Amino acid sequence: MTQEIGRRPNIYDVASAAGVSKSLVSLVLRGAPGVSPARRAAVEEAIERLNYRPSRAAATLAGNRSRTIGVVLDDYRNLWFVDLLAGLHNQLAPLGYRVAVADPSFNARLDRTPVDGLMSLRVDGIVIATEPTEEMFAAVDVPAVVAGNRDMAVPGADVVANDDMMGGRLATEHLIGLGHRDIGHVTGGGGAARLRALGYDAAMQARGLRPHIARGQGLTTESDGYEAALKLLDENPSLTAIFAANDTMALGAAGAARDRGRRIPEDLSLIGYDNSPLASANLLRLTTIDGRNAEVGAGAARALLDRSQDPATQVRTVLVEPELVIRTSTAAR
């Protein structure tokens, strides 16, 4: 028997390894009588060899326990999740499901991870919208989907994300198209931010332009954007534009520009990413990349439903194409 690398073993794998039917494996897992000692031993040996953990994923959402889907977010200050939750809700609410949201601080004194906390609520599925850890996904024994591009794969979980590398190129090419050549980028670490930085670098290199990339403390908060943008502006006074890894970092970059006497967009064009509520606020009127997070959320919900119906289906990655949203924070050079 061959098993797809990176996929968590399921009941079908156990049945194949033991040379028995799925229903017989279920009988062994329930401790039901009527199974011969030889077949029971074969199933138990396969379970141990495959490191199989019985999963609730085999139950469809129609027969679940709480009609609740858990969502693990990275940081409530990063507003990209607003549309994500709306997309999830629009798909799940008509089917009678509620959404429970947690971040890494959720029941931190009681549980090792926010997944543990959500599992204690008897959720029927998990959407991981943060950078997962091995400890986190080890606790998942319901259908799971990862929302957004992450550096660590969750075994058995589908991925639904916007095409971050394409979005990074789109943002940079917009600035280049306006005549900017000295373009800086403020970013965080890992996952989506890493891919957006790769898109920025690719667009700059394709035009023979020198990339300028700065990080704050390695996150993508407003203070990280402020710190990174100050560094860019101080080390590269000729910069005429900055691309920020998200709208929250762009807000920090706008503060840095103000403190360095640079007007937006007259002296410095600024573009963000996510098209969050921050971007459309009158204070910024931020040009940004719309990652179509509502569609990412809807796609995550559909993937969760599909995975629930057929736990053995092949793991998929679905990318949603981002779009440029032009406001008043960018101008021709």
Side-chain angles (χ1 to χ4, degrees):
M1 180 196 74
T2 60
Q3 180 185 324
E4 180 184 346
I5 295 175
R7 178 173 65 80
R8 194 168 72 182
N10 57 49
I11 194 170
Y12 297 97
D13 298 321
V14 174
S16 178
V20 300
S21 66
K22 169 185 168 291
S23 58
L24 192 139
V25 175
S26 297
L27 290 174
V28 173
L29 291 172
R30 294 201 304 268
V35 179
S36 71
R39 289 192 170 186
R40 187 181 299 276
V43 170
E44 290 173 347
E45 188 275 334
I47 288 172
E48 182 176 357
R49 174 158 48 87
L50 296 176
N51 194 27
Y52 170 71
R53 296 175 64 236
S55 173
R56 297 185 185 92
T60 67
L61 288 179
N64 61 25
R65 303 156 301 155
S66 66
R67 302 194 77 78
T68 302
I69 301 301
V71 183
V72 183
L73 300 173
D74 49 7
D75 191 333
Y76 284 110
R77 294 170 295 181
N78 188 344
L79 297 180
W80 81 278
F81 68 84
V82 173
D83 286 341
L84 175 84
L85 293 178
L88 282 166
H89 174 79
N90 289 342
Q91 288 290 313
L92 296 173
L95 302 176
Y97 297 102
R98 297 171 294 180
V99 174
V101 179
D103 74 350
S105 66
F106 181 75
N107 284 345
R109 295 183 179 180
L110 302 175
D111 304 304
R112 292 176 304 167
T113 75
V115 169
D116 290 294
L118 290 171
M119 293 304 300
S120 71
L121 298 178
R122 299 175 62 81
V123 297
D124 305 296
I126 294 281
V127 176
I128 300 176
T130 185
E131 192 66 45
T133 63
E134 290 188 13
E135 187 178 45
M136 183 184 297
F137 65 66
V140 177
D141 64 349
V142 292
V145 61
V146 176
N149 284 305
R150 309 295 171 187
D151 283 335
M152 179 175 287
V154 176
D158 301 296
V159 176
V160 182
N162 94 89
D163 191 334
D164 290 293
M165 192 166 177
M166 176 188 289
R169 291 198 307 267
L170 194 61
T172 310
E173 288 166 357
H174 168 67
L175 296 172
I176 293 172
L178 290 173
H180 296 277
R181 296 297 178 265
D182 292 313
I183 303 168
H185 178 49
V186 295
T187 186
R194 177 180 60 80
L195 292 175
R196 294 170 190 180
L198 288 175
Y200 158 81
D201 185 76
M204 295 290 283
Q205 299 284 0
R207 297 296 295 269
L209 303 176
R210 180 186 173 192
H212 303 279
I213 299 178
R215 294 170 176 80
Q217 297 301 313
L219 301 176
T220 55
T221 66
E222 186 273 342
S223 60
D224 285 280
Y226 178 83
E227 182 178 331
L230 280 182
K231 182 178 180 181
L232 278 179
L233 294 171
D234 290 345
E235 294 181 356
N236 307 280
S238 63
L239 286 186
T240 62
I242 289 179
F243 162 41
N246 63 23
D247 295 341
T248 305
M249 293 194 84
L251 179 62
R258 175 204 60 201
D259 290 351
R260 291 297 184 262
R262 307 284 290 272
R263 299 168 301 165
I264 296 174
E266 292 86 353
D267 305 316
L268 186 75
S269 283
L270 179 64
I271 184 170
Y273 204 114
D274 286 333
N275 199 25
S276 69
L278 281 175
S280 59
N282 288 326
L283 179 64
L284 276 182
R285 295 174 183 169
L286 183 68
T287 297
T288 187
I289 300 299
D290 188 345
R292 298 169 62 197
N293 292 320
E295 181 55 36
V296 172
R302 290 191 294 267
L304 202 60
L305 293 166
D306 290 345
R307 174 70 47 195
S308 162
Q309 295 290 337
D310 184 4
T313 191
Q314 185 176 1
V315 174
R316 297 173 299 168
T317 295
V318 178
L319 293 181
V320 175
E321 188 171 324
E323 298 174 345
L324 173 68
V325 178
I326 299 176
R327 296 191 177 95
T328 61
S329 67
T330 53
R333 174 66 176 146

